[in-house]
Amino acid sequence: MKLRKFAAALVAATVWSGVAMADGLPEGGTVEAVEKAGDNVRIAFLSFQNNPFWIPVTEGAMAAKDYLADFNGTLDYVDLGDDLSAEAVVSGIEAALAQQYDGIVVVPIFDGTARIINEATEEGVPVFSIIAEGAVPSKRLSFMGQDATAAGQQIGAFINEKMDGDGKLGVITGYFGATQHQMRMNGALDYLKENAPGIEIIGPFENRDKAESAYSLVQDMYTANPDLEMVYVTAGGPYGAAKAVQDLGLTGEIGVVGFDHTPENMAYLESGEMVGLLDQAPFQQAFDSSVMLFNHLVAGTEVPELIEADGNLITPTDVAK
């Protein structure tokens, strides 16, 4: 990070520590509003709804809506639908601009969204990206999220340890066109290629974040590869893969590793089909980014260009404690 951003980065690091800075913040939120707006400040929060991962994102946004209401801030949650695409993001931002929102929080995910983000910025409407964004740079105010390549590498190291450097690994990604999903996948596969060449990759396959698709893919992979040992799901729907393992009667023989501590995933972690889950603090990302954008609009508070969310990888041993 540039030296001129160092002080702001220190503030962000403190904020992102997970410790609430003041009373009145919801559990999981760590950033407080710095002052009350003189005139009503309107923020559009644009997100998707295609699998349980988005539930804590929505909850974080709605918590920010309630919190900012006391500071003369209005946050409107906008559901972009259940089919993730660059076109949905572009349409959502265009609508927010037409409705003259003061700022936008968005989950861009795909390439093809930079143009409209740049357009919004040039019109004086700052855009705060969270969770995942495309590979093409934009003029967004900030990006808050996980280093997807590093997260993939962390998963790769975990898989290597679990498989003892040998065996067949099935790979299911969410969307082939999603930069974050690709980086998560490549981070793990590149790590394994270098450190565990004995692990054979089956796939990758695309499930479009659907649990039912992951379920069918695991069944097909096992039919073709009865010596399958592990499945890595890079994005939404890993519990579908875990249910397939359970229904095949292969709990303890095939392990599933993926992302997000959702109730659906945690249930299979407890029963043993899921062997590793890496979180990305979706509630916190949604809440904190909304309040940081509000502070920027109201008080000109500087926001770091990049705010990384650390991942917490848990195993069945952790939930058994």
Side-chain angles (χ1 to χ4, degrees), residues 50-54 172-175 181 184 206-218 231-244 256-260 262 264-265 268 274 277 280:
N50 75 334
N51 73 82
F53 164 75
W54 299 105
I172 301 173
T173 195
Y175 287 79
H181 301 177
R184 283 176 172 178
E206 181 186 53
N207 77 331
R208 300 183 69 82
D209 281 355
K210 304 295 185 183
E212 57 270 26
S213 178
Y215 182 94
S216 298
L217 286 168
V218 169
V231 177
Y232 171 35
V233 184
T234 74
Y239 62 94
K243 178 171 174 53
V256 179
V257 61
F259 287 83
D260 306 318
T262 64
E264 293 80 2
N265 291 341
Y268 287 105
M274 298 285 309
L277 280 173
Q280 51 185 324

Side-chain angles (χ1 to χ4, degrees), residues 91-206:
S91 295
I93 294 178
E94 287 177 339
L97 292 175
Q99 295 172 55
Q100 298 184 323
Y101 280 93
D102 299 300
I104 299 169
V105 179
V106 66
V107 186
I109 299 182
F110 298 97
D111 288 342
T113 57
R115 176 194 60 79
I116 190 63
I117 292 174
N118 293 344
E119 183 178 318
T121 301
E122 291 162 3
E123 291 185 17
V125 181
V127 178
F128 204 129
S129 298
I130 65 169
I131 310 294
E133 61 181 357
V136 178
S138 73
K139 297 179 181 178
R140 43 89 167 135
L141 175 68
S142 178
F143 171 64
M144 180 183 292
Q146 222 168 41
D147 181 327
T149 298
Q153 292 169 342
Q154 185 177 358
I155 291 285
F158 177 78
I159 290 171
N160 183 24
E161 180 181 352
K162 295 293 291 185
M163 296 182 67
D164 198 22
D166 187 66
K168 290 185 177 181
L169 168 70
V171 177
I172 301 173
T173 195
Y175 287 79
F176 283 132
T179 301
Q180 181 203 51
H181 301 177
Q182 193 74 20
M183 292 170 69
R184 283 176 172 178
M185 182 174 68
N186 290 344
L189 297 187
D190 289 346
Y191 178 92
L192 293 173
K193 181 179 179 180
E194 180 177 351
N195 297 281
I199 293 180
E200 179 182 348
I201 306 302
I202 309 300
F205 304 98
E206 181 186 53

Side-chain angles (χ1 to χ4, degrees), residues 241-256:
K243 178 171 174 53
V245 170
Q246 186 181 72
D247 288 353
L248 287 166
L250 295 170
T251 302
E253 297 182 39
I254 299 177
V256 179

